[in-house]
Structures are given as structure tokens and as C-alpha cells.
Amino acid sequence: MGEYRTSIGHSDADSITLLGHDLPGELMGHVGFGELAFWLVARRRPSSAELRVFEAVLVALADHGLTPSAIAARLTLTGAPESIQGALAAGLLGGGSRFLGTTEDCGRMLADALASEPGPAPTDDAAYDELAIRIVSEARAARHLLPGLGHPIHKGGDPRTPVIIRLAAESGVYGAHLRLFEAIGRVHPAILGRTLPLNGAGTCGAALADLGFPVETLRGFALLARTAGLLGHIAEEQRRPIGPAVYEHVDRSSDYQAET
Amino acid sequence: MGEYRTSIGHSDADSITLLGHDLPGELMGHVGFGELAFWLVARRRPSSAELRVFEAVLVALADHGLTPSAIAARLTLTGAPESIQGALAAGLLGGGSRFLGTTEDCGRMLADALASEPGPAPTDDAAYDELAIRIVSEARAARHLLPGLGHPIHKGGDPRTPVIIRLAAESGVYGAHLRLFEAIGRVHPAILGRTLPLNGAGTCGAALADLGFPVETLRGFALLARTAGLLGHIAEEQRRPIGPAVYEHVDRSSDYQAET
Amino acid sequence: MGEYRTSIGHSDADSITLLGHDLPGELMGHVGFGELAFWLVARRRPSSAELRVFEAVLVALADHGLTPSAIAARLTLTGAPESIQGALAAGLLGGGSRFLGTTEDCGRMLADALASEPGPAPTDDAAYDELAIRIVSEARAARHLLPGLGHPIHKGGDPRTPVIIRLAAESGVYGAHLRLFEAIGRVHPAILGRTLPLNGAGTCGAALADLGFPVETLRGFALLARTAGLLGHIAEEQRRPIGPAVYEHVDRSSDYQAET
Amino acid sequence: MGEYRTSIGHSDADSITLLGHDLPGELMGHVGFGELAFWLVARRRPSSAELRVFEAVLVALADHGLTPSAIAARLTLTGAPESIQGALAAGLLGGGSRFLGTTEDCGRMLADALASEPGPAPTDDAAYDELAIRIVSEARAARHLLPGLGHPIHKGGDPRTPVIIRLAAESGVYGAHLRLFEAIGRVHPAILGRTLPLNGAGTCGAALADLGFPVETLRGFALLARTAGLLGHIAEEQRRPIGPAVYEHVDRSSDYQAET
């Protein structure tokens, strides 16, 4: 008779239920953590083939070194060492449009393009190329950047991209989104006049969309992956801090100029 | 020649390194997500036995239904549906001393007690009971609650506790922290005059400490686990929101009384 | 010779400078807090007339009772009572597109419309009405809602709106944004077929734009105002908590249905 | 008949009430923003003398240049420029024990010391010195640092401290907390063997306690003050970003060393 319907979990004095299963009896020791995360969002248990691709995506997105997000988490720990949750939250809050957003934006762009076509998804490369030509041309005309295309560091190719594609193919979950994304990779140089790499974050978005996740959930997985990376940074910061040195550098190198 | 030493990850134009390994070549498709999280914090790869216990802990802590943390995440999405990272961060910020803190506090209490003993850790139950008697008696004298003891809902026993202990024993990672925690379970009724359950969050803290994690990292794992649960809540909120109904209920049931 | 240019503040062993002034000697005791906030963002000190409107806007936006944002802050305190900054941050994170965003969105809509006109801003009501007719018609054709129009509770008129407008007029800072917003209020019923109130958040956005603030700074003031309101809620929650009762209600009224 | 009692605010179709007053009719245009913040937490309107000290405290705490908190907010904006609330929240989350916590910790230390004395507060300097000698001696014996004593930059004296004390004295709100804090300033050199400055954050905590605020609310005011400063940094970052340069510096200066 409740007002708030949920299918995630509940508990009473003697039992804890998660996703319709007895947590201690049926899940703990039987389900991996990545598997549980998939299940919680997809509302279905992944096959082992799907899980392999999904975990590879999470591993691919977990860390990229001393990013703005990792530095922000470390500086937050400098000021509030007692609040791990604050440092983690600060790091995740940088996971917006410019960095982690790519995963979602790319998945959305591909899903929208596929949905805009009447009938079923294309079945041969020529049809995917045709659709890709339309997308890239429209983006060029509107002077929009295509999400997933280009990388500030991996200009010659993001090394994560072929691995995701290979794993998806091996696992039988290579689908319309990855296929369209590869087509964009093929056709864009002729239209844009330069060759940009398909970046890893975008490829991960395409793979997650091929796994059947709604596009509005994709950024969440990028954040979950990044949570593991940030815990690594936070643990390292606890052992051997760099936050105070970054602060000192910025403070020492600041150039104060009163507005006139 | 850098100023900021890190052992987590870095990348250059052609490669991405994580934990000293080539991310695309050696980790993606080879390492599970839970495994990577362990490795990032512990700075060593877990054995499969360790990993089984570790993932069971993460699964045990992932969700506990519509907790304050889950409700806060959902209400934040009500106000800022465009910012998944904001909703997730709001949910994690409730992971403080009263809820998720138990995992860390219990691990710390056990580690401190073991460290306070001269010589190696006890080897028989009688010695653990003796140490436990001292801890419980001191807490009672100081009118402190012992972290990990008692649960608001699972008053007769937290169903996660025996599963964690069994998995740790089966996997060969049952160590001094879990053993001392079990001793506290045996001796406290005679001292406190009532029988309290060893709760799941505390047991998870003991198990993580037995896996060798420094106590200051334990809350981080509770937060990682909770991230997966919160993503489930956020995805459900996107499909079938309850935030507006909670808001309406609170607003309608509010009783405004001007201060006099 | 620093790399990081800033005009906000700096300090050395003997002095603290803020906005080019000696903080202890020239600002403390001489500048109000609202005045300082204006100055920090506008990079110029407000006149007393401007300040009166600015503070009225902050007062107008400070609180609206037990909103999702206030409830989220209180629930976060339930879980982490030791972290005031976490509870405040959680409350602010709900200040997104749906609630506090209106202030910025309305200011931006008005500024964009004024910027789209060649030549100087209109000077008589007829010209403002003409521009307003274009904006409302375009929004209707595109099936967009106009930010600042309509309110879920104050359906017959937001009582803050006429006060902001009157204060702006009295203070001599009633400008093109408020004037265009009022024109929208006049012309929209004939175009949309129903009469919607100009809401307070939108009016505040128009007033801030008339004060000369860039539109990308407007949400920040809504957040500053809300910070004061949230501190009131947090202090009340510390004295007389409702978070546990909200949690209990939601938990008790939850309806768990396993997905099938 | 509501379940959730509140004395902050509520609204219905025609009116908005805040603190028992009609918001548009009695507060907007009549109450300053700092005044409202005082009132929301204290539940009483300040006198103009109290308000002068209170606003000077907020001005004193608003900014201290490119602190870890300001850098974290700017880096968060680098990653998520669309989410002002995320950048602000990230900045506030660094307002923990090490920086902003001093205001609360110092107020609490003084309030606890005064409460520990039987009878009314001391009335002459000799009695305050006696109490201060006890506090400093106990802290020294326990090897605790006294909050509010010492500053990393203003080693010879924090220039905010005498101004707060003078304003409090002029306004007639110089009370037991500031008086005890000054006594600590007089007596500690003989006990500790070195002279440390009374820092500004601690002095602000003493002044807020003298204004009658409960100690658990003090950190909130430090956060409110910092919100204004962070909005200044965020607006400057929008105009003339330094986040990308900080990121580039850290990345370029990082020294990756695989764990062995």
C-alpha cells in the first residue's frame, strides 16, 4: 500500500532483498560488483559475454592520471581530510560535459541518429556510411563538434578504442551504435578535411548503448568507473599528498592585478 | 623530473598506463572492475580468494533501500535532472558518520585494539575473548557505543554478517579483525546486559581490514559500493520518479510555526 | 611574474588584499556582505540604489520552505551530522535547471532577445510589446516554455514580482530586461490563450541583468541566496530534526515490487 | 496537523512567509542579505550594532586568494562548465577541518572552557588569564594544538584580528569568548615558549559566539562567507580561466612511478 514504488531493494528485520533476490543468500559471493552495477541499472542480469565488455568499459574509464577531477578531489582532501565523501563528491562533480559527458553525448548522438531512420537499423556498411555521412555533414553545417571525435592527447588514435571494439565483436555484442560510430570514423575525413580519432570515452558510450542501456544512464557508468579511480587518488593522497604542493605552486605563481 | 609523484596512471600520445600496466593491452578485458578497485587502493592485485570476499563486501554494502542517501539523490535529481553527477554526489555526501561511517569506524576500532596489544596477534579464542572483554568494558565505562554493534532494523541478527564470515573463512582470509569482532559478539552480552547483533557494515569493515587495507581507506569502499546502488536509484528515478511525491508529501505535511 | 592572473584577492605576511583594497582597513566594517558579493562578481562597487535592489533579489530567493533542496540538505545531515559543508553542498546541488535555473534562464532569454535586435534597445512600450510578441510566438511555434512564466503554486501571481519591479523603478535601475519581461507579461495571453504569472525567480533574473551582470553569473546569485536559506534549515535540523521522520515515512510507505 | 514542524518559511497561492513575516511586503527592500542570514540562524533580528560585527566577520572570511577550495572550484568548472552549482559545491566541500573548520573549532573550544567553569563568566582580566592558563596548559600536556592560534602566512599577526576585536568593542558585543581568546593570546607565550598570532578565522569564531550563535552553527557562516568568495572566483574563471593551465602544469610536472 505504499506511495513510493521501487524495484531496487528493501529490508525487514530478518531479510535484505536486492533486485528481487535474497542479498545474503543469493547475491553475496555469487555476483561480482561490476555485474551488480549492470543489473541495478539494466534491471536484468548480464550474460558473461555482456559482462566482459561492460567491465572493460568501466576499466577503460576508471582513470586518466592527474585530471582536473583528480586534482580537485585531492585539494578537497587537503582542506577536509576527515571527509572522504566530500573529496570523492568534489572529484565526481567535475564529471560534466567536458570530460565524462562525452560517453553519454556520443551514445545519445548515435541513438538519436539510429532512431531518426525509418525502419530497422542498417545491415551493411554502405548503409551505415550513408547515415554517417548525413550526421557528419549536418554537424559540419551547424558548426557542431561531434561527440566522441578527437582527443587532446591521443591525436593519432586512442588506444582504448580498438580494444573495446574487438571485445564487443568477440563477445557478440557489437551492434548498431558501435557500427555507426566506426562508420563516422571512416567517412569524416573527406567531409571535415582532417582525420580525427574515435576517442575512448565515445567508444565506451557506443558500447554501452549496444548493451541496451538507455542513453540517460550512460554518464552514470562513467561516474562509477571514475569513482574507483578517485579512490585510488584519494588513498595515494592520504599516503603521500600532493595537494599542498599544488596549492603552494598556484599561490606562488599567482599574479595579482587589481581591476582598474 | 616532475614535482607531483603518482603511481596511479598517466598517458601520452600513444599509450595509457594504469598501475604500471598498459591499460588497453593488459587490463581491459583481463581485469574485472571490482578487481581494479582493489588494486587501485591496495597497490597490489588481489588473489581470486581475496577478490571473492572483497566483491561480496561491495555487494553487501551497495544498497539498503530508500535510505536518506538514496532519497537525497532522488530529490536532487528532481531539481537538477541534467546533472547526474550532482545527484550522485548529493547521495554520497550522506555517507558520513551515521551510516556508511560504521564500516570504517569498526575497522579502526578493531585495528587499534590489535595494535594496542604488545607482541603478535592472539592465536586462540580465549585470548581474543580476553581482548574483547577489555574493549567492551572500556567502551562501557566511557559510555561509548561500539561501532558495528547493533542495528536499527536487524535487531535479531544482520543476515549479511554470517555470510561475510563464512566467505572469509572459505577463502582463507579470515584474520585477526574478524576474529576479534566475533569475540566481541560472544562477550558483550555479559558486560552490557543485552545482546546486540554484529551488523553487516561493521563486519564488512573487519573483513576489509583483514584483507590488509589501511583503515583510512575503508569508508571509500563503502562509498564505491553505494555508488552502484545510487546509480540504480537514479536510473529508477529517471524512469518512474518519486522525488516529486516525496516533496509534495513533506510540503503538505509541514507545520509552519513562526518563532515567538 | 606569476602564471595565474587573478583580481580577487591575495595576501602576504602582513596584509590581505581583496578587490584591490586592504581587507581589514578598508573593507571590514565598511562594506556589507551583500555589497561585497556584488562587488566580487561585478568587479565594481554598487551604488546604494543598486545595492537595495540586489539585496531585495537575494532576500526574495533565499528560501521557499521545505523544497527538494532543503529536504536533501536535511537528509544529508541525518547521515553525516559532522559535515555541515556536505549538507549545504547537497542542498545546492539541487539548484539546477528546474528550480534555481529559472533565474539564469530568464535573464539569458531576455538578454538574447535584446541582443538579437539591431540598434539600441527599444524606448517605448509599443516597441517592447512587438519584441515580446516575436519571442512568445517563436517559443510557441517551437513548443518551448518561456523561462520565468508560470508558477506551480502562485498561479494567480507571484507576490515577489511587483515588489522587485517597484524597487527597481524607485532605485532607477529598471532597465531593458525588466521592461521586456513585463511586455511578455502583457502580450502572452493573446498568443498562448492563457494567462500565466511572471514568476519571482524570473523577475529576479531580469533585475540582475538590468544591474549589468553577465547572464552566466546569475545562477550563482540564486545559489548564494539559497545558501542563507539552507543554513537556516540546517540550523533548525540540528535543533529539531525532521530528516529521520521523512526517512521513516518514505521507508514505511515504500512499495517494493520486484521487476519481472 | 503536519508532521514536519518548521519555523523558516512557507508559501501558499497568494503569499510567501519567511521567519513569520510577509516576504514581499515586510522583508524585501527592508532587510539586508547579511541581516537575513543572521536572522535565519539566530531566529531573531540583529541590532544594527550586532549586524555591523556580523557582516565584518563575513567579509573577513569571504576570500583568501587562490586557496585549495578556490582552485578545486575552478578545476570543477573546467570539467563541467554547465554546472555552476557543482563548482560551488566542490569549493565548499574543501571547507572542512583544516581551513574553515577553525572558526567553529575555536568558538567551541572557548564555549566549552567557559561552560566548564562553575558560576558566571569571569569579570576581570586576571580571572580570564587564569582560565586561559589552564586551557593552554592542558592543551600542551595533551599535545593538542589550540584552534585559532597560529597562521601559516601571517606569522607576526593576522591583520583581521584587531579589527574584529575593535568593531566588537565599539558595537558593545565584545563578550566572554573574545575576552578569553585575547587572554589566550596574552598567556600562551610563557607556557608554550613561543608567540603565536590569534588568527582571523579563530577570532571570527569567538565574535560569532559572542553574538550568541550556538557553536554548531559557526562553520555554516564560514561557508556562507566563502560562497561569496567562490562566486567571485567562478565568475573570474568564466571570463579568464586558469583551470586548464593548472591542469596542464600538474600533468606536465607529474612524475609517474610504478609501484614495485
Side-chain angles (χ1 to χ4, degrees), chain D residues 132-157:
Chain D
I133 287 167
R134 177 164 71 73
I135 296 167
V136 178
S137 302
E138 285 175 5
R140 182 170 190 273
R143 296 170 181 279
H144 285 164
L145 296 175
L146 275 169
L149 212 52
H151 195 283
I153 296 169
H154 309 301
K155 293 179 201 292

PDB file of all heavy atoms in Angstrom, chain D residues 132-157:
ATOM      1  N   ALA D 132      42.605  31.013  30.941  1.00  0.00           N
ATOM      2  CA  ALA D 132      43.408  30.800  29.732  1.00  0.00           C
ATOM      3  C   ALA D 132      44.644  29.967  30.042  1.00  0.00           C
ATOM      4  O   ALA D 132      45.045  29.100  29.252  1.00  0.00           O
ATOM      5  CB  ALA D 132      43.804  32.150  29.126  1.00  0.00           C
ATOM      6  N   ILE D 133      45.257  30.222  31.190  1.00  0.00           N
ATOM      7  CA  ILE D 133      46.441  29.444  31.569  1.00  0.00           C
ATOM      8  C   ILE D 133      46.081  27.961  31.701  1.00  0.00           C
ATOM      9  O   ILE D 133      46.811  27.084  31.239  1.00  0.00           O
ATOM     10  CB  ILE D 133      47.042  29.985  32.894  1.00  0.00           C
ATOM     11  CG1 ILE D 133      47.730  31.324  32.611  1.00  0.00           C
ATOM     12  CG2 ILE D 133      48.017  28.995  33.518  1.00  0.00           C
ATOM     13  CD1 ILE D 133      48.092  32.104  33.873  1.00  0.00           C
ATOM     14  N   ARG D 134      44.939  27.696  32.278  1.00  0.00           N
ATOM     15  CA  ARG D 134      44.508  26.305  32.404  1.00  0.00           C
ATOM     16  C   ARG D 134      44.314  25.667  31.022  1.00  0.00           C
ATOM     17  O   ARG D 134      44.788  24.555  30.756  1.00  0.00           O
ATOM     18  CB  ARG D 134      43.205  26.241  33.221  1.00  0.00           C
ATOM     19  CG  ARG D 134      42.668  24.829  33.321  1.00  0.00           C
ATOM     20  CD  ARG D 134      41.635  24.640  34.411  1.00  0.00           C
ATOM     21  NE  ARG D 134      40.351  25.251  34.154  1.00  0.00           N
ATOM     22  CZ  ARG D 134      39.451  24.792  33.261  1.00  0.00           C
ATOM     23  NH1 ARG D 134      39.727  23.717  32.533  1.00  0.00           N
ATOM     24  NH2 ARG D 134      38.287  25.391  33.098  1.00  0.00           N
ATOM     25  N   ILE D 135      43.610  26.378  30.122  1.00  0.00           N
ATOM     26  CA  ILE D 135      43.336  25.816  28.794  1.00  0.00           C
ATOM     27  C   ILE D 135      44.629  25.545  28.036  1.00  0.00           C
ATOM     28  O   ILE D 135      44.827  24.471  27.459  1.00  0.00           O
ATOM     29  CB  ILE D 135      42.486  26.802  27.962  1.00  0.00           C
ATOM     30  CG1 ILE D 135      41.123  27.010  28.609  1.00  0.00           C
ATOM     31  CG2 ILE D 135      42.321  26.308  26.545  1.00  0.00           C
ATOM     32  CD1 ILE D 135      40.378  28.192  28.009  1.00  0.00           C
ATOM     33  N   VAL D 136      45.523  26.514  28.036  1.00  0.00           N
ATOM     34  CA  VAL D 136      46.762  26.360  27.262  1.00  0.00           C
ATOM     35  C   VAL D 136      47.620  25.255  27.880  1.00  0.00           C
ATOM     36  O   VAL D 136      48.224  24.437  27.167  1.00  0.00           O
ATOM     37  CB  VAL D 136      47.537  27.690  27.185  1.00  0.00           C
ATOM     38  CG1 VAL D 136      48.843  27.507  26.431  1.00  0.00           C
ATOM     39  CG2 VAL D 136      46.687  28.776  26.525  1.00  0.00           C
ATOM     40  N   SER D 137      47.648  25.193  29.190  1.00  0.00           N
ATOM     41  CA  SER D 137      48.466  24.161  29.849  1.00  0.00           C
ATOM     42  C   SER D 137      47.918  22.771  29.563  1.00  0.00           C
ATOM     43  O   SER D 137      48.668  21.830  29.272  1.00  0.00           O
ATOM     44  CB  SER D 137      48.495  24.400  31.364  1.00  0.00           C
ATOM     45  OG  SER D 137      48.997  25.691  31.642  1.00  0.00           O
ATOM     46  N   GLU D 138      46.604  22.638  29.606  1.00  0.00           N
ATOM     47  CA  GLU D 138      46.003  21.333  29.312  1.00  0.00           C
ATOM     48  C   GLU D 138      46.262  20.918  27.870  1.00  0.00           C
ATOM     49  O   GLU D 138      46.559  19.765  27.581  1.00  0.00           O
ATOM     50  CB  GLU D 138      44.491  21.373  29.577  1.00  0.00           C
ATOM     51  CG  GLU D 138      44.150  21.360  31.069  1.00  0.00           C
ATOM     52  CD  GLU D 138      42.654  21.512  31.334  1.00  0.00           C
ATOM     53  OE1 GLU D 138      41.868  21.524  30.358  1.00  0.00           O
ATOM     54  OE2 GLU D 138      42.274  21.636  32.516  1.00  0.00           O
ATOM     55  N   ALA D 139      46.123  21.865  26.954  1.00  0.00           N
ATOM     56  CA  ALA D 139      46.385  21.544  25.545  1.00  0.00           C
ATOM     57  C   ALA D 139      47.836  21.124  25.364  1.00  0.00           C
ATOM     58  O   ALA D 139      48.138  20.167  24.638  1.00  0.00           O
ATOM     59  CB  ALA D 139      46.058  22.756  24.662  1.00  0.00           C
ATOM     60  N   ARG D 140      48.723  21.828  26.032  1.00  0.00           N
ATOM     61  CA  ARG D 140      50.136  21.492  25.902  1.00  0.00           C
ATOM     62  C   ARG D 140      50.402  20.090  26.450  1.00  0.00           C
ATOM     63  O   ARG D 140      51.107  19.282  25.826  1.00  0.00           O
ATOM     64  CB  ARG D 140      50.986  22.515  26.659  1.00  0.00           C
ATOM     65  CG  ARG D 140      52.480  22.259  26.520  1.00  0.00           C
ATOM     66  CD  ARG D 140      53.286  23.427  27.073  1.00  0.00           C
ATOM     67  NE  ARG D 140      54.679  23.277  26.714  1.00  0.00           N
ATOM     68  CZ  ARG D 140      55.557  22.581  27.437  1.00  0.00           C
ATOM     69  NH1 ARG D 140      55.178  21.978  28.536  1.00  0.00           N
ATOM     70  NH2 ARG D 140      56.812  22.470  27.025  1.00  0.00           N
ATOM     71  N   ALA D 141      49.832  19.796  27.618  1.00  0.00           N
ATOM     72  CA  ALA D 141      50.038  18.477  28.221  1.00  0.00           C
ATOM     73  C   ALA D 141      49.508  17.370  27.307  1.00  0.00           C
ATOM     74  O   ALA D 141      50.102  16.307  27.184  1.00  0.00           O
ATOM     75  CB  ALA D 141      49.356  18.422  29.587  1.00  0.00           C
ATOM     76  N   ALA D 142      48.376  17.635  26.672  1.00  0.00           N
ATOM     77  CA  ALA D 142      47.767  16.629  25.789  1.00  0.00           C
ATOM     78  C   ALA D 142      48.350  16.690  24.377  1.00  0.00           C
ATOM     79  O   ALA D 142      47.911  15.958  23.503  1.00  0.00           O
ATOM     80  CB  ALA D 142      46.257  16.856  25.738  1.00  0.00           C
ATOM     81  N   ARG D 143      49.338  17.564  24.175  1.00  0.00           N
ATOM     82  CA  ARG D 143      49.943  17.773  22.853  1.00  0.00           C
ATOM     83  C   ARG D 143      48.899  18.117  21.787  1.00  0.00           C
ATOM     84  O   ARG D 143      48.975  17.687  20.647  1.00  0.00           O
ATOM     85  CB  ARG D 143      50.725  16.529  22.410  1.00  0.00           C
ATOM     86  CG  ARG D 143      51.896  16.252  23.305  1.00  0.00           C
ATOM     87  CD  ARG D 143      52.536  14.900  23.038  1.00  0.00           C
ATOM     88  NE  ARG D 143      53.644  14.678  23.962  1.00  0.00           N
ATOM     89  CZ  ARG D 143      54.876  15.176  23.807  1.00  0.00           C
ATOM     90  NH1 ARG D 143      55.147  15.915  22.742  1.00  0.00           N
ATOM     91  NH2 ARG D 143      55.814  14.934  24.696  1.00  0.00           N
ATOM     92  N   HIS D 144      47.879  18.840  22.173  1.00  0.00           N
ATOM     93  CA  HIS D 144      46.890  19.340  21.219  1.00  0.00           C
ATOM     94  C   HIS D 144      47.269  20.746  20.778  1.00  0.00           C
ATOM     95  O   HIS D 144      47.769  21.532  21.575  1.00  0.00           O
ATOM     96  CB  HIS D 144      45.502  19.424  21.870  1.00  0.00           C
ATOM     97  CG  HIS D 144      44.850  18.091  22.027  1.00  0.00           C
ATOM     98  ND1 HIS D 144      43.779  17.880  22.853  1.00  0.00           N
ATOM     99  CD2 HIS D 144      45.142  16.896  21.471  1.00  0.00           C
ATOM    100  CE1 HIS D 144      43.440  16.599  22.798  1.00  0.00           C
ATOM    101  NE2 HIS D 144      44.244  15.988  21.974  1.00  0.00           N
ATOM    102  N   LEU D 145      46.966  21.036  19.528  1.00  0.00           N
ATOM    103  CA  LEU D 145      47.069  22.412  19.087  1.00  0.00           C
ATOM    104  C   LEU D 145      45.812  23.150  19.503  1.00  0.00           C
ATOM    105  O   LEU D 145      44.712  22.590  19.489  1.00  0.00           O
ATOM    106  CB  LEU D 145      47.197  22.467  17.559  1.00  0.00           C
ATOM    107  CG  LEU D 145      48.461  21.819  16.998  1.00  0.00           C
ATOM    108  CD1 LEU D 145      48.431  21.829  15.479  1.00  0.00           C
ATOM    109  CD2 LEU D 145      49.689  22.560  17.514  1.00  0.00           C
ATOM    110  N   LEU D 146      45.941  24.387  19.869  1.00  0.00           N
ATOM    111  CA  LEU D 146      44.761  25.175  20.210  1.00  0.00           C
ATOM    112  C   LEU D 146      44.205  25.806  18.939  1.00  0.00           C
ATOM    113  O   LEU D 146      44.926  26.518  18.222  1.00  0.00           O
ATOM    114  CB  LEU D 146      45.129  26.282  21.205  1.00  0.00           C
ATOM    115  CG  LEU D 146      45.120  25.832  22.661  1.00  0.00           C
ATOM    116  CD1 LEU D 146      45.747  26.914  23.523  1.00  0.00           C
ATOM    117  CD2 LEU D 146      43.690  25.540  23.128  1.00  0.00           C
ATOM    118  N   PRO D 147      42.917  25.567  18.634  1.00  0.00           N
ATOM    119  CA  PRO D 147      42.364  26.179  17.421  1.00  0.00           C
ATOM    120  C   PRO D 147      42.367  27.693  17.532  1.00  0.00           C
ATOM    121  O   PRO D 147      42.078  28.256  18.593  1.00  0.00           O
ATOM    122  CB  PRO D 147      40.927  25.629  17.366  1.00  0.00           C
ATOM    123  CG  PRO D 147      40.626  25.102  18.717  1.00  0.00           C
ATOM    124  CD  PRO D 147      41.937  24.757  19.361  1.00  0.00           C
ATOM    125  N   GLY D 148      42.711  28.333  16.425  1.00  0.00           N
ATOM    126  CA  GLY D 148      42.715  29.793  16.413  1.00  0.00           C
ATOM    127  C   GLY D 148      44.075  30.396  16.688  1.00  0.00           C
ATOM    128  O   GLY D 148      44.264  31.595  16.520  1.00  0.00           O
ATOM    129  N   LEU D 149      45.020  29.565  17.094  1.00  0.00           N
ATOM    130  CA  LEU D 149      46.356  30.047  17.420  1.00  0.00           C
ATOM    131  C   LEU D 149      47.312  29.679  16.294  1.00  0.00           C
ATOM    132  O   LEU D 149      47.439  28.511  15.937  1.00  0.00           O
ATOM    133  CB  LEU D 149      46.802  29.380  18.730  1.00  0.00           C
ATOM    134  CG  LEU D 149      47.721  30.160  19.671  1.00  0.00           C
ATOM    135  CD1 LEU D 149      47.178  31.537  19.987  1.00  0.00           C
ATOM    136  CD2 LEU D 149      47.920  29.366  20.964  1.00  0.00           C
ATOM    137  N   GLY D 150      47.971  30.673  15.723  1.00  0.00           N
ATOM    138  CA  GLY D 150      48.936  30.424  14.658  1.00  0.00           C
ATOM    139  C   GLY D 150      48.327  30.596  13.281  1.00  0.00           C
ATOM    140  O   GLY D 150      47.119  30.470  13.092  1.00  0.00           O
ATOM    141  N   HIS D 151      49.195  30.951  12.319  1.00  0.00           N
ATOM    142  CA  HIS D 151      48.748  31.111  10.936  1.00  0.00           C
ATOM    143  C   HIS D 151      49.941  30.824  10.022  1.00  0.00           C
ATOM    144  O   HIS D 151      51.043  31.296  10.293  1.00  0.00           O
ATOM    145  CB  HIS D 151      48.235  32.542  10.698  1.00  0.00           C
ATOM    146  CG  HIS D 151      47.455  32.673   9.432  1.00  0.00           C
ATOM    147  ND1 HIS D 151      48.037  32.736   8.194  1.00  0.00           N
ATOM    148  CD2 HIS D 151      46.122  32.714   9.220  1.00  0.00           C
ATOM    149  CE1 HIS D 151      47.098  32.827   7.268  1.00  0.00           C
ATOM    150  NE2 HIS D 151      45.931  32.818   7.866  1.00  0.00           N
ATOM    151  N   PRO D 152      49.723  30.065   8.939  1.00  0.00           N
ATOM    152  CA  PRO D 152      50.869  29.707   8.086  1.00  0.00           C
ATOM    153  C   PRO D 152      51.515  30.909   7.407  1.00  0.00           C
ATOM    154  O   PRO D 152      52.705  30.877   7.100  1.00  0.00           O
ATOM    155  CB  PRO D 152      50.255  28.756   7.056  1.00  0.00           C
ATOM    156  CG  PRO D 152      48.784  28.993   7.106  1.00  0.00           C
ATOM    157  CD  PRO D 152      48.479  29.444   8.508  1.00  0.00           C
ATOM    158  N   ILE D 153      50.747  31.954   7.152  1.00  0.00           N
ATOM    159  CA  ILE D 153      51.295  33.106   6.425  1.00  0.00           C
ATOM    160  C   ILE D 153      51.491  34.301   7.352  1.00  0.00           C
ATOM    161  O   ILE D 153      52.545  34.925   7.369  1.00  0.00           O
ATOM    162  CB  ILE D 153      50.351  33.499   5.254  1.00  0.00           C
ATOM    163  CG1 ILE D 153      50.287  32.350   4.230  1.00  0.00           C
ATOM    164  CG2 ILE D 153      50.845  34.775   4.577  1.00  0.00           C
ATOM    165  CD1 ILE D 153      49.206  32.526   3.190  1.00  0.00           C
ATOM    166  N   HIS D 154      50.452  34.622   8.117  1.00  0.00           N
ATOM    167  CA  HIS D 154      50.509  35.808   8.971  1.00  0.00           C
ATOM    168  C   HIS D 154      51.174  35.466  10.302  1.00  0.00           C
ATOM    169  O   HIS D 154      50.553  35.498  11.359  1.00  0.00           O
ATOM    170  CB  HIS D 154      49.098  36.356   9.201  1.00  0.00           C
ATOM    171  CG  HIS D 154      48.323  36.557   7.937  1.00  0.00           C
ATOM    172  ND1 HIS D 154      48.755  37.380   6.918  1.00  0.00           N
ATOM    173  CD2 HIS D 154      47.156  36.042   7.503  1.00  0.00           C
ATOM    174  CE1 HIS D 154      47.886  37.359   5.928  1.00  0.00           C
ATOM    175  NE2 HIS D 154      46.908  36.552   6.250  1.00  0.00           N
ATOM    176  N   LYS D 155      52.442  35.139  10.244  1.00  0.00           N
ATOM    177  CA  LYS D 155      53.138  34.647  11.436  1.00  0.00           C
ATOM    178  C   LYS D 155      53.296  35.723  12.503  1.00  0.00           C
ATOM    179  O   LYS D 155      53.326  35.437  13.695  1.00  0.00           O
ATOM    180  CB  LYS D 155      54.507  34.086  11.050  1.00  0.00           C
ATOM    181  CG  LYS D 155      54.415  32.822  10.195  1.00  0.00           C
ATOM    182  CD  LYS D 155      55.811  32.317   9.820  1.00  0.00           C
ATOM    183  CE  LYS D 155      55.778  31.408   8.590  1.00  0.00           C
ATOM    184  NZ  LYS D 155      55.106  30.121   8.824  1.00  0.00           N
ATOM    185  N   GLY D 156      53.388  36.955  12.064  1.00  0.00           N
ATOM    186  CA  GLY D 156      53.582  38.029  13.035  1.00  0.00           C
ATOM    187  C   GLY D 156      52.279  38.674  13.504  1.00  0.00           C
ATOM    188  O   GLY D 156      52.301  39.628  14.274  1.00  0.00           O
ATOM    189  N   GLY D 157      51.174  38.162  13.034  1.00  0.00           N
ATOM    190  CA  GLY D 157      49.892  38.750  13.436  1.00  0.00           C
ATOM    191  C   GLY D 157      48.947  38.793  12.250  1.00  0.00           C
ATOM    192  O   GLY D 157      49.328  39.255  11.172  1.00  0.00           O
TER     193      GLY D 157
END
